[in-house]
Amino acid sequence: AQRVTQPEKLLSVFKGAPVELKCNYSYSGSPELFWYVQYSRQRLQLLLRHISRESIKGFTADLNKGETSFHLKKPFAQEEDSAMYYCALSGIGFQKLVFGTGTRLLVSP
Amino acid sequence: KAGVTQTPRYLIKTRGQQVTLSCSPISGHRSVSWYQQTPGQGLQFLFEYFSETQRNKGNFPGRFSGRQFSNSRSEMNVSTLELGDSALYLCASTATGADSYEQYFGPGTRLTVT
């Protein structure tokens, strides 16, 4: 069965602190992993994809197949990072996304 | 390019009624996926259409159905509404191409069933 687990509903940090949003997955095969973000009053949008290995807005995520994890990290959080973050996976084709329950990141000044 | 649009944005229906939601994808996108978002279950995949054909389907009862038109616009229909169908319904479109992976989401339709 395909499953994505985000154990934290809320993560609250101060500006400048490191951030790690946890994501674990279950998938029998080679999944595609994504992080989607929803800022206040905006649409859900793609933040990054594991295969691109890019840093987007200072965020990175490494796929660890041994631990079946895809944690999202940022060394220094900014107030504008406050948002809802969803980890998602898909199989071949990308159109069917399985989402985690999301983690709300709150960055305080 | 204009983004994904969904109509109506808000809807209130009574148990037992049916409802139709509409989604217009980004111009040139031929794949449309639908998701249901609730506080209890989060974001769940309903189905996906490509070139007027349903390609993928989630684990929802047959009361949930959809279709896609030749201009790629999509509709989803929920018949015999139940209180538990109250949710935000999101659609997303994806470009055509082997490596087109990004889903572009609409603002959603908020359905309330009373």
Side-chain angles (χ1 to χ4, degrees):
Chain A
Q2 303 174 17
R3 181 171 293 178
V4 176
T5 302
Q6 293 181 252
E8 303 137 330
K9 283 191 174 181
L10 172 67
L11 185 61
S12 187
V13 301
F14 288 106
K15 177 182 172 181
V19 168
E20 182 178 48
L21 288 83
K22 291 182 166 40
C23 172
N24 288 90
Y25 67 90
S26 172
Y27 185 78
S28 55
S30 293
E32 292 281 343
L33 274 298
F34 306 88
W35 278 97
Y36 276 79
V37 61
Q38 187 166 28
Y39 301 100
S40 179
R41 288 184 290 277
Q42 293 188 29
R43 303 176 183 202
L44 193 59
Q45 58 187 282
L46 179 67
L47 180 62
L48 55 79
R49 174 192 181 194
H50 86 272
I51 204 167
S52 64
R53 303 188 66 81
E54 292 178 301
S55 171
I56 306 293
K57 298 186 178 182
F59 285 97
T60 58
D62 289 320
L63 177 60
N64 185 323
K65 292 187 177 180
E67 296 183 358
T68 59
S69 68
F70 187 55
H71 302 327
L72 183 68
K73 299 177 184 179
K74 184 169 183 177
F76 307 103
Q78 303 299 315
E79 290 179 66
E80 55 266 31
D81 296 329
S82 295
M84 195 74 180
Y85 290 80
Y86 294 94
C87 182
L89 72 79
S90 74
I92 297 170
F94 308 117
Q95 282 74 28
K96 177 181 177 180
L97 287 173
V98 175
F99 284 91
T101 49
T103 297
R104 181 168 298 284
L105 174 64
L106 183 60
V107 182
S108 303
Chain B
K1 277 186 179 178
V4 176
T5 58
Q6 292 187 245
T7 56
R9 293 293 310 280
Y10 302 91
L11 207 48
I12 300 175
K13 289 286 187 178
T14 304
R15 266 185 306 174
Q17 289 186 315
Q18 76 164 19
V19 68
T20 300
L21 312 182
S22 181
C23 172
S24 292
I26 291 172
S27 178
H29 288 192
R30 291 164 60 191
S31 169
V32 175
S33 300
W34 287 89
Y35 296 86
Q36 182 195 63
Q37 186 175 27
T38 60
Q41 300 296 319
L43 278 154
Q44 293 186 285
F45 174 81
L46 280 155
F47 29 64
E48 182 247 348
Y49 285 85
F50 178 82
S51 291
E52 302 178 65
T53 302
Q54 187 182 88
R55 275 200 308 195
N56 290 285
K57 190 176 187 308
N59 297 322
F60 278 81
R63 300 185 297 106
F64 291 82
S65 63
R67 59 177 176 168
Q68 186 180 36
F69 301 94
S70 58
N71 62 357
S72 294
R73 188 177 71 84
S74 177
E75 289 181 346
M76 67 163 282
N77 184 278
V78 188
S79 63
T80 320
L81 284 165
E82 300 177 0
L83 294 179
D85 297 332
S86 294
L88 181 67
Y89 290 87
L90 295 172
C91 80
S93 72
T94 310
T96 306
D99 201 37
S100 295
Y101 56 85
E102 182 170 356
Q103 294 199 16
Y104 294 83
F105 284 83
T109 294
R110 171 78 59 187
L111 172 65
T112 302
V113 182
T114 63

